[in-house]
Amino acid sequence: MTTTDLAHPALAPFELGTLRLRNRFTVAPMTRISAAPDGTPTDRMAEYYREYAAGGFGLITTEGIYPDATHSQGYYGQPGLVTAAHVAGWRAVVDAVHAEAVPIVAQLMHAGAISQGNSYGAETIGPSAVAPPGQMMADYGGVGGPWSAPREMTLRDIDEVVAGFAAAAANARAAGFDGVEIHGANGYLLDQFLTDYTNQRTDEYGGPVANRIRLTVRVLQAVRAAVGDLPVGVRLSQTKVNDFTYRWPGADADARVIFGALTDASYLHIASEGRNFLETARLADGSTITQLAREVTGRPVIANGGMHALAQAAGVLTGGHADLLSLGTGALANPDLPRRVEAGQPLDPFDREMLHPMANLDTAAAWRARR
């Protein structure tokens, strides 16, 4: 790759722990609910991820993968990393991506109280017996209407969740993944512990923010022990799939505690839940939450939210707000986005019909056929 003074800064290579990335464009984790009914990844999923690698992305993060065979699954059609069949299915995905010389990271996700489809039949669990706000999501197989209040987790439940993340991380290593990302964002279980209105506990996991981040720290430690020298990231957000307006109550004070507890992470991935980066990242003093994450942890930070707006994306990097960029809808519309940017070609706009009536790969294929 030849760079000039006019080249986009995201085209520069980057080292993320042990991973050498060809550029700073990464594929964001996106729920595609296209696995087999038992959670095994399919050949179509392997081709889906391979297309991003062939399109020039420097790093790919999978959709959220459920880590245990009890409470963690959030959606029917969601893939798991629990069984030998799951591991074999993901190995085929990893091999397809590696054939294009691109690393791929497994994102592990426990849905907690906002599970809307669990093939194992378990009840939902959460930090407290508080019904999540918002409505189930029809595009992801939800039946509509509100979520029910979860069962409040016991200390044994918490230990089992940590063990599930560790076991799934070991399975990710066995499948050949190049790293693991812990999903602590967007309203799922770890974020439910971090959020004040869903966590009303009075034990060591509730109350002040230093307690509410404790489960995420335990999961990080357990996953690190399970994968050895592989990079381990943590995804965080203020907004949620079921609450676009929530912000950490203590603003930068809370953020400093949260980021300071996660310095053992290889990187932090700050998500915006489909909002524009500036809308969700800007702090009162004009700085950004991603900037603060870099300052507190000294670790690389991935920024998310509207990064297909290339001028904004360039400013995020050159302004010291983040080290890498993750793209969701921009990548869906342009699986070859980095190659287009390198060649100076225009990007296609995202069409929400790609995700309707279901946000799966069948719907995407039908949309492409109509074009």
Side-chain angles (χ1 to χ4, degrees), residues 146-157:
W147 283 277
S148 300
R151 175 173 63 78
E152 181 171 314
M153 292 169 64
T154 65
L155 294 179
R156 180 176 178 178
D157 290 325

Side-chain angles (χ1 to χ4, degrees), residues 156-364:
R156 180 176 178 178
D157 290 325
I158 290 172
D159 289 344
E160 290 175 350
V161 163
V162 174
F165 271 98
N171 283 339
R173 186 179 185 107
F177 280 104
D178 302 290
V180 171
E181 181 173 290
I182 298 162
H183 199 343
N186 303 124
Y188 297 107
L189 181 69
L190 300 184
D191 186 48
Q192 290 160 27
F193 271 82
L194 187 54
T195 300
D196 55 359
Y197 65 74
T198 51
N199 184 349
Q200 299 180 2
R201 301 176 72 95
T202 57
D203 61 7
E204 64 267 38
Y205 294 96
V209 67
N211 285 357
R212 288 183 274 118
I213 193 64
R214 190 185 302 273
L215 178 55
T216 305
V217 173
R218 283 193 61 191
V219 170
L220 172 59
Q221 293 169 341
V223 168
R224 270 215 164 280
V227 301
D229 60 353
L230 294 186
V232 179
V234 178
R235 193 179 209 220
L236 298 166
S237 71
Q238 299 189 87
T239 54
K240 313 172 190 308
V241 295
N242 59 324
D243 185 348
F244 296 151
T245 64
Y246 183 79
R247 299 294 184 274
W248 292 336
D252 61 340
D254 277 14
R256 286 182 181 276
V257 174
I258 293 164
F259 298 148
L262 299 172
T263 55
D264 284 344
S266 303
Y267 67 89
L268 294 183
H269 184 178
I270 310 300
S272 64
E273 190 43 55
R275 311 298 99 179
N276 181 277
F277 168 77
L278 291 176
E279 177 187 338
T280 58
R282 187 72 73 189
L283 297 172
D285 65 359
S287 65
T288 58
I289 200 160
T290 51
Q291 220 168 11
L292 184 61
R294 293 180 83 214
E295 172 197 326
V296 172
T297 66
R299 301 296 189 185
V301 170
I302 304 176
N304 169 259
M307 295 304 160
H308 55 276
L310 296 178
Q312 173 178 268
V316 168
L317 295 177
T318 60
H321 299 281
D323 304 278
L324 298 161
L325 311 170
S326 77
L327 294 95
T329 57
L332 285 175
N334 303 274
D336 59 346
L337 182 143
R339 299 204 185 281
R340 292 193 184 204
V341 173
E342 189 175 4
Q345 297 173 343
L347 302 182
D348 290 335
F350 171 68
D351 182 354
R352 293 202 170 273
E353 289 304 307
M354 293 180 73
L355 303 178
H356 297 301
M358 290 283 285
N360 60 23
L361 298 183
D362 287 342
T363 295

